[in-house]
């Protein structure tokens, strides 16, 4: 899988305001900003994202995906602090 493939899988299932996927072909990192994350704990957010790529993880086409998830308000606040 490529970064674009992973990005498309996530974007097809989650409304994302900002989405970046990067990695080395085996280990991937995603930065995801979505209003869907409102009111959800970190583990719930990650479960939502993993659900979008589960098929690829089960087939081992996607080995590892780490992520940071933000609501739009959290992302705006993080950008102001940077």
């Amino acid at each position: 899988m490529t970064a674009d493939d992973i990005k498309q899988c996530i974007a097809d299932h989650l409304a994302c305001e900002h989405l970046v996927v990067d990695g080395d072909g085996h280990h991937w990192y995603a930065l995801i900003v979505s209003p869907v994350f409102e009111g959800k704990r970190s583990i719930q957010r990650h479960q939502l994202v993993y659900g979008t790529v589960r098929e690829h993880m089960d087939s081992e086409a996607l080995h590892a995906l780490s992520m940071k998830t933000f609501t739009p308000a959290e992302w705006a606040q993080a950008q102001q602090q940077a």
Side-chain angles (χ1 to χ4, degrees), residues 15-48:
C16 299
E17 291 190 6
H18 186 73
L19 174 59
V20 176
V21 176
D22 194 22
D24 63 9
H26 296 286
H27 297 92
W28 298 97
Y29 167 80
L31 171 68
I32 307 158
V33 180
S34 176
V36 175
F37 299 145
E38 290 287 344
K40 293 184 174 41
R41 297 183 327 237
S42 180
I43 187 74
Q44 294 169 312
R45 295 174 182 194
H46 288 206
Q47 288 169 336
L48 283 171

Side-chain angles (χ1 to χ4, degrees), residues 4 7 24 26-27 31 50 55 59 65 74 76-77 80:
D4 287 338
K7 188 174 179 178
D24 63 9
H26 296 286
H27 297 92
L31 171 68
Y50 283 131
E55 175 183 327
S59 71
L65 177 65
E74 291 167 344
Q77 184 176 1
Q80 290 177 352

